[in-house]
Amino acid sequence: MSARGPAIDALLARVREAVRAQAVTVAAVPAHTVVRRIARDQADLASLFAAKAQSVGMRVTRVTDAQLDATLAKLLESRAMTVVAMRDPSLAARANAAAGARLAPNNNDDLLFDCEVGITDVDCAIAESGSLVISTNGRIRNAWVTPPIHIAVVRAAQVLADLVDLFELRPDTLDAASTTIITGPSKTADIEGVLVTGVHGPAEVEIVLVG
Amino acid sequence: MNPLIAPPLPFDMKPRARDAVRDLKLQQFVGNATHLKDTQRGGIFGRDFGHDYDELRTVARDTKQYALDHLDELLERFITNAEKSGAKVHAATTGREACEIALNIARAHGAQGRAMSCVKSKSMVTEEIGLLPAFEAAGIKTLETDLGEFILQIDGDAPSHIVTPMIHKDRVATAKSFVRELGARYTEDPTELTMIARAHMRGLYRTADLGVSGANFLLADEGAAVICTNEGNFDLSVGGPPVHIVFVGIEKLIRGACDLAPFLKLLARSGTAQPLTVYTSFVRGPRRVGEHGGPKELHFVLVDAGRVGVLASEKRDLLRCIRCGACLNACPVYRKVGGHSYGSMYAGPIGAVLTPELERAQGNTDAGLANYADLPRASSLCGACYEACPVKIDIPKFLMHDRARLRERGLSPKSEGHMLKLWRWLAERPAMFRFAIRAVRLHARMLGSKDARSGAEHSWIKSAPGPGAGWTQSRDLGIATGESFREWFARRDNKSGGGR
Amino acid sequence: MRIALFTTCLAEALAPRALKATVLVLEHVLEHVLEHEGVTVELPAAQTCCGQPMLSNGLPADAAILARRMCEIFAPYNAVVTPSGSCCSVVREKYEALFARGSADHKAVVALAAKTFELIEFLETQLKIDPATLRGKTPSAAPITCHDACHLRGIHRHGSTAPYLTRACCGDVRELPDAAQCCGFGGMFSTQFPEVSTALGEEKLAHVASTGAATLVASDTGCAAHLAGLAHRKNVALRVISPAEALAESLGLLETGAPNGGNPGAPNGGNPGAPNGGNPGAPNGGNPGAPNGGKP
């Protein structure tokens, strides 16, 4: 037994005994091609991603790389303090330039509560569900949840077909202390089923899809 | 704990069910919301998976069953990998132990002379173990951050649905409690009410000493937890405070991210007809060196509280449950009686089979069943829950199983048992059985009121004795008193020479 | 081929007309549609009860005794047909779990399950009768609606009665709102939780009323007795019949009967002993087409 302490060893022993008390009914995890049904046979993943992201309530602007700086500048126009949380240094530099004087330092997570906008890049995106995947690897945590507006820059090449691909092709994404798959603005329907956005996280998610 | 979900035992469901059926507001809120969610669930699965939906459920069923059949290996792997990423792992046999572990963690961080505060995101297992009362007794002020749970908390109410905890409650009650408890101005607008709650909670996230959450899945290969929310409250609860504790039932383990996709695709679609919850958050260890934000300490408290007993029993399948709430939305009885009628944090069909198991940890496998003897009976066995379940738990089968346990242990009404035994005895003796049916018909002919129904002569009984009284309190009983089927059949046979 | 009628004890006591109709429809199909010579519908005299009440109420060993009887009684036949959906599902789905896999009893119940059918299912999937061939000489235009027994879910027949009766021109078959929801019968549940059972039944009757149909076709004897009993107590003019009766009436094999309501002698729903599913205000005396549903 390990040096984990008696409580854990006792739990493991009891679970071992309990597992053996009934016959094993499933000896191997089933293969699951059926899980991929939604994006199956879809050639244009970026367009599928854009459509699905919009269907869950995020806004999508599709631009060329050349249009990116102007797009970011326009999105940040008239906004208050902005935090840039990007792992890609060149993207970060362009976002910093767009934020200009309204730029918040990106090493103080308490200040996130005072920001109006969090701009991030993404680890990848998922076409079938219209989701963004963002990890804390190289980004200040929660810059995509705390401010009321989240702007995400996604390159078309980052779009994966299916959630399964995140786990199969990009397992490194989950190496970070925290990774979040985001599928829409913060939502609640707790009060009489009426949909309200922005309850804890951002009410607005702007996706700038590049390429 | 709140008596609505932790009532005095043994629990009598009938008075609550009777009151709920007469509560017009509850009928409207719960009826409408459950019908809507159930319809939307069918819609999104039809659109996204079509005829493959059933296969997707089979994959999820078998994947989770595999995990349960190998839970000892997975648990060991999870502990190793979670510790590798810097988390601390604890084990609790009972709810009380789980609370004690949390209190010890809290005490280690408490500053002398200052009350501690905790931000908590929605978790069924913390309801189950009574964490909030334990924290309260220790002077730790806890904020429920899920909007529904927050409203229930400030109004002294209790959740009545796994996914939509305040399904039984309206905006007026919310508005009143916000005025009373938060000093807010009166508004019934859901958006304004939500923004009042948001503003109230923002400051508390920044100053909390402790974050607490549950988990939807544990990944053995990654040593990580997966938490699904729509509001983003988990991310804020785990991001700010220096210490975070994840309470999680051991049945949440799966092999790893490699097996996660089918569950994520089923969970939100089954619960709220969304492709995924807005936030699907992976937590793998505390904050790393050089990172900004995130807890400095991350604790996992692995909770048994009866689960090991269920694992060892013929009810192992129940541990496949991913708490999506689809069976509640589909259940005709839940729709009529609401969650509080079940006297447990787990309401509806899954609650009816799970709640009696939660006391197994104390070593008495039948205590829970004796305390909740009504739950297995509070079902028409219509099968809507089984049909809705994303991991194909045959809930009606387990309800019937529990009814047999009740009967064996003498926990069901004796008269009913005698009547059924007599029925079976007669049914083995066809002549006597037919005589009994004739006697009933004769009785009805003499005492019932007559009128024509569907061309056959029926007598209507207005008031029946014994178990029949439950029937005739609101229904007439139409007994056929004209020519019997067998008489008719014999007459035709004779007419046609018996040789047709 | 030998076809046995599985009468069910409930139908013998409460719904003999459904059984007559089943025999008449089957004979009609065999003689006039399939033109099978010498195939008759037989009535195994020793049959009593399939054991569902024991099975559903915690007495599986008692149910097993009756399951064995059922196997013996129906052994000589090629097909076992019943108008009662729930009893059918017990034989088809529930018997198996009563016996150890591999035992002689288990083999016997599996064999019985493989040849037991609800009437409409038997016509559609076994005899492969195109419902269009069951059109009567003067198809009825009267509005009807269908409630399928929840237990037909398991044998994938839920919701299939209405389309069949539509194509057989049994009337103007109206879609029943929220058709998937249970009517609240549930066997002894109806007496153990009468208020909940009644509230569900009232909701079902309200949906039936909203279709404008004065005839409800219910594919289980229990559901039919529950809904008819509720309607009768409330003096609602509603006929509740089985799919077999709907077909038999349409084919002219049975005369169309009278509705059960409107009986001046019958007490109304305001019976002080009878809680009214949360809707205490208005028993709906004799008002055809508008039962007093539990849904506010």
Side-chain angles (χ1 to χ4, degrees):
Chain A
M1 285 284 177
S2 67
R4 282 171 182 145
I8 286 189
D9 285 342
L11 177 68
L12 284 170
R14 282 187 302 119
V15 170
R16 208 167 287 131
E17 193 185 330
V19 162
R20 277 156 193 60
Q22 295 287 322
V24 168
T25 51
V26 180
V29 172
H32 50 62
T33 52
V34 63
V35 177
R36 294 176 171 275
R37 191 180 194 270
I38 298 166
R40 200 192 279 160
D41 309 324
Q42 288 274 349
D44 184 0
L45 294 179
S47 296
L48 178 65
F49 165 71
K52 293 287 184 180
Q54 279 165 332
S55 75
V56 293
M58 303 193 279
R59 279 197 290 273
V60 182
T61 313
R62 200 158 176 184
V63 300
T64 63
D65 188 76
Q67 295 166 319
L68 176 63
D69 298 275
T71 306
L72 290 181
K74 185 146 191 355
L75 285 171
L76 292 177
E77 206 174 43
S78 79
R79 294 298 180 195
M81 193 154 65
T82 295
V83 63
V84 175
M86 289 191 169
R87 193 198 300 166
D88 178 339
S90 72
L91 270 184
R94 292 165 80 175
N96 286 344
R102 299 176 301 270
L103 191 65
N106 63 2
N107 60 0
N108 181 346
D109 61 295
D110 191 51
L111 268 184
L112 292 176
F113 285 94
D114 300 322
C115 290
E116 187 180 13
V117 183
I119 301 190
T120 72
D121 55 358
V122 299
D123 290 66
C124 51
I126 299 166
E128 51 114 352
S129 55
S131 305
L132 307 166
V133 182
I134 305 177
S135 75
T136 50
N137 182 3
R139 301 184 188 94
I140 179 171
R141 189 168 184 144
N142 280 354
W144 47 91
V145 186
T146 315
I149 299 169
H150 174 207
I151 300 173
V153 180
V154 180
R155 293 193 178 278
Q158 289 181 295
V159 179
L160 304 171
D162 195 283
L163 188 61
V164 176
D165 297 316
L166 168 65
F167 303 131
E168 285 183 359
L169 306 177
R170 298 292 311 279
D172 54 300
T173 310
L174 301 187
D175 290 344
S178 181
T179 307
T180 302
I181 304 172
I182 300 171
T183 313
S186 164
K187 282 176 194 166
T188 182
D190 279 339
I191 303 174
E192 290 189 20
V194 178
L195 182 69
V196 178
T197 58
V199 51
H200 289 285
E204 295 174 44
V205 181
E206 293 274 358
I207 297 172
V208 182
L209 180 57
V210 186
Chain B
M1 286 175 84
N2 193 315
L4 287 171
I5 56 171
L9 301 174
F11 174 62
D12 184 1
M13 178 178 188
K14 292 196 178 81
R16 288 197 187 182
R18 267 197 295 270
D19 289 348
V21 164
R22 294 193 183 108
D23 181 341
L24 293 180
K25 271 192 163 178
L26 185 131
Q27 292 304 309
Q28 188 189 336
F29 296 152
V30 177
N32 291 349
T34 50
H35 273 97
L36 180 69
K37 286 292 170 222
D38 192 49
T39 306
Q40 290 175 334
R41 176 181 60 80
I44 191 169
F45 278 119
R47 278 196 302 283
D48 291 350
F49 288 96
H51 293 302
D52 291 342
Y53 171 47
D54 191 61
E55 195 187 333
L56 179 63
R57 292 164 71 218
T58 304
V59 166
R61 176 194 70 190
D62 290 350
T63 305
K64 194 78 194 269
Q65 192 71 30
Y66 171 90
L68 295 170
D69 287 351
H70 301 81
L71 195 62
D72 49 344
E73 295 165 32
L74 297 190
L75 204 51
E76 195 141 18
R77 211 187 308 164
F78 172 80
I79 294 166
T80 303
N81 290 325
E83 287 176 342
K84 214 180 275 175
S85 68
K88 292 197 175 73
V89 185
H90 311 260
T93 307
T94 62
R96 187 193 295 254
E97 273 179 43
C99 294
E100 202 50 50
I101 290 167
L103 289 172
N104 284 335
I105 296 168
R107 281 185 203 113
H109 293 270
Q112 282 295 320
R114 186 178 67 84
M116 291 184 79
S117 69
C118 168
V119 282
K120 174 177 171 293
S121 79
K122 185 167 159 47
S123 147
M124 295 308 294
V125 73
T126 55
E127 296 282 356
E128 193 184 318
I129 65 176
L131 182 71
L132 259 59
F135 269 14
E136 202 174 312
I140 302 171
K141 201 168 157 38
T142 306
L143 173 77
E144 290 278 10
T145 59
D146 174 87
L147 180 66
E149 295 281 358
F150 171 71
I151 292 167
L152 296 172
Q153 184 185 32
I154 64 170
D155 210 20
D157 203 341
S160 71
H161 188 288
I162 295 173
V163 173
T164 42
M166 56 174 284
I167 190 169
H168 61 285
K169 213 171 171 72
D170 69 348
R171 61 182 83 192
V172 176
T174 305
K176 284 180 183 159
S177 69
F178 276 25
V179 170
R180 191 180 68 236
E181 303 296 327
L182 305 179
R185 70 193 159 70
Y186 187 89
T187 170
E188 291 179 7
D189 179 66
T191 302
E192 287 180 20
L193 288 167
T194 302
M195 291 308 133
I196 291 168
R198 174 186 165 103
H200 175 76
M201 289 193 243
R202 290 237 123 191
L204 299 169
Y205 281 125
R206 295 172 87 155
T207 55
D209 305 286
L210 198 59
V212 162
S213 70
N216 295 84
F217 304 95
L218 289 183
L219 310 178
D221 289 344
E222 288 80 10
V226 184
I227 292 98
C228 302
T229 77
N230 276 323
E231 300 181 1
N233 55 321
F234 167 72
D235 296 81
L236 292 180
S237 304
V238 75
V243 181
H244 188 86
I245 309 174
V246 179
F247 289 88
V248 58
I250 53 169
E251 83 283 12
K252 299 287 180 186
L253 263 168
I254 59 171
R255 216 164 44 157
C258 58
D259 288 346
L260 183 61
F263 297 107
L264 291 183
K265 291 194 182 192
L266 284 163
L267 177 63
R269 284 187 175 88
S270 297
T272 50
Q274 295 169 272
L276 289 171
T277 52
V278 173
Y279 300 96
T280 304
S281 303
F282 296 74
V283 180
R284 194 173 188 177
R287 88 160 67 165
R288 311 266 166 91
V289 175
E291 283 186 353
H292 304 292
K296 296 191 180 85
E297 269 182 36
L298 179 69
H299 297 266
F300 288 103
V301 181
L302 303 175
V303 179
D304 169 357
R307 288 162 175 76
V308 176
V310 180
L311 186 69
S313 78
E314 54 293 298
K315 285 171 113 180
R316 178 178 289 183
D317 294 15
L318 298 187
L319 299 180
R320 291 204 300 264
C321 175
I322 57 172
R323 308 282 191 267
C324 68
C327 64
L328 282 69
N329 296 336
C331 177
V333 176
Y334 177 86
R335 288 170 177 178
K336 285 288 160 210
V337 304
H340 292 158
S341 291
Y342 292 82
S344 161
M345 67 271 1
Y346 301 112
I350 189 66
V353 284
L354 202 55
T355 300
E357 302 304 320
L358 297 178
E359 290 181 43
R360 277 182 188 263
Q362 274 68 38
N364 184 347
T365 52
D366 293 331
L369 201 61
N371 282 333
Y372 287 97
D374 276 343
L375 295 193
R377 298 150 62 87
S379 165
S380 65
L381 299 179
C382 79
C385 49
Y386 185 24
E387 202 171 71
C389 178
V391 289
K392 292 191 167 181
I393 300 172
D394 189 348
I395 295 173
K397 179 178 99 178
F398 291 110
L399 289 169
M400 285 168 62
H401 177 90
D402 277 349
R403 291 181 185 188
R405 279 170 70 201
L406 285 171
R407 190 75 63 190
E408 277 165 27
R409 286 145 183 83
L411 298 166
S412 312
K414 296 274 187 300
S415 59
E416 195 186 89
H418 294 324
M419 190 205 74
L420 287 164
K421 287 269 186 191
L422 174 65
W423 189 336
R424 190 268 298 154
W425 187 87
L426 284 170
E428 289 179 90
R429 292 157 180 81
M432 295 183 85
F433 193 79
R434 281 203 299 282
F435 177 78
I437 291 183
R438 258 205 305 279
V440 169
R441 286 152 47 83
L442 191 67
H443 177 87
R445 195 178 300 170
M446 293 190 307
L447 298 180
S449 70
K450 295 208 179 38
D451 59 60
R453 191 191 86 148
S454 322
E457 201 186 322
H458 274 70
S459 267
W460 294 91
I461 308 282
K462 308 283 175 192
S463 169
W471 181 279
T472 51
Q473 82 175 41
S474 58
R475 285 157 292 215
D476 293 338
L477 179 60
I479 308 255
T481 48
E483 185 183 35
S484 80
F485 170 70
R486 295 203 186 214
E487 287 159 359
W488 173 84
F489 196 86
R491 184 161 58 84
R492 287 174 80 245
D493 254 11
N494 291 338
K495 246 188 226 164
S496 59
R500 283 174 309 106
Chain C
M1 182 162 82
R2 295 184 69 185
I3 300 173
L5 179 69
F6 166 23
T7 57
T8 78
C9 53
L10 215 52
E12 288 206 40
L14 306 180
R17 191 169 180 267
L19 297 171
K20 289 178 202 171
T22 305
V23 171
L24 293 171
V25 168
L26 281 171
E27 286 180 352
H28 171 84
V29 164
L30 292 167
E31 287 174 26
H32 300 293
V33 182
L34 296 174
E35 297 175 1
H36 281 192
E37 286 296 319
V39 180
T40 59
V41 180
E42 300 178 57
L43 174 65
Q47 62 178 308
T48 54
C49 166
C50 68
Q52 174 163 217
M54 298 89 215
L55 189 65
S56 300
N57 290 285
L59 294 169
D62 296 79
I65 292 169
L66 299 185
R68 279 194 207 96
R69 276 194 91 241
M70 289 281 288
C71 290
E72 286 163 21
I73 288 164
F74 290 110
Y77 302 93
N78 305 98
V80 179
V81 182
T82 179
S84 214
S86 180
C87 307
C88 174
S89 83
V90 166
V91 176
R92 287 274 285 276
E93 299 185 285
K94 302 285 195 277
Y95 274 2
E96 212 195 315
L98 292 172
F99 304 103
R101 200 169 283 273
S103 65
D105 285 329
H106 188 267
K107 287 193 183 101
V109 293
V110 168
L112 178 61
K115 64 182 183 186
T116 301
F117 304 96
E118 182 267 337
L119 172 69
I120 299 294
E121 177 190 29
F122 184 67
L123 295 175
E124 189 167 18
T125 69
Q126 301 304 303
L127 298 183
K128 309 238 187 286
I129 302 297
D130 178 351
T133 61
L134 298 180
R135 288 179 63 160
K137 291 198 184 77
T138 48
S140 164
I144 67 171
T145 191
C146 294
H147 166 67
D148 267 335
C150 291
H151 289 173
L152 293 177
R153 286 173 207 274
I155 49 183
H156 305 292
R157 298 294 301 167
H158 199 268
S160 46
T161 304
Y164 200 83
L165 296 188
T166 302
R167 283 180 283 136
C169 293
C170 289
D172 170 13
V173 184
R174 306 262 170 101
E175 191 183 331
L176 182 65
D178 199 17
Q181 180 167 286
C182 173
C183 69
F185 168 59
M188 291 184 73
F189 169 78
S190 60
T191 62
Q192 291 161 342
F193 287 85
E195 296 85 0
V196 183
S197 169
T198 298
L200 286 165
E202 286 176 342
E203 190 163 314
K204 187 63 76 185
L205 289 182
H207 286 312
V208 171
S210 76
T211 68
T215 298
L216 172 65
V217 179
S219 54
D220 180 71
T221 314
C223 308
H226 165 66
L227 294 170
L230 268 175
H232 195 264
R233 174 66 60 92
K234 289 172 164 293
N235 267 347
V236 171
L238 179 71
R239 298 175 68 216
V240 185
I241 61 173
S242 65
E245 290 165 272
L247 282 172
E249 288 177 6
S250 170
L251 289 164
L253 304 169
L254 279 178
E255 273 181 40
T256 304
N260 71 10
N263 174 7
N268 64 24
N271 185 346
N276 232 329
N279 200 349
N284 223 326
N287 179 6
N292 190 1
K295 194 170 184 182

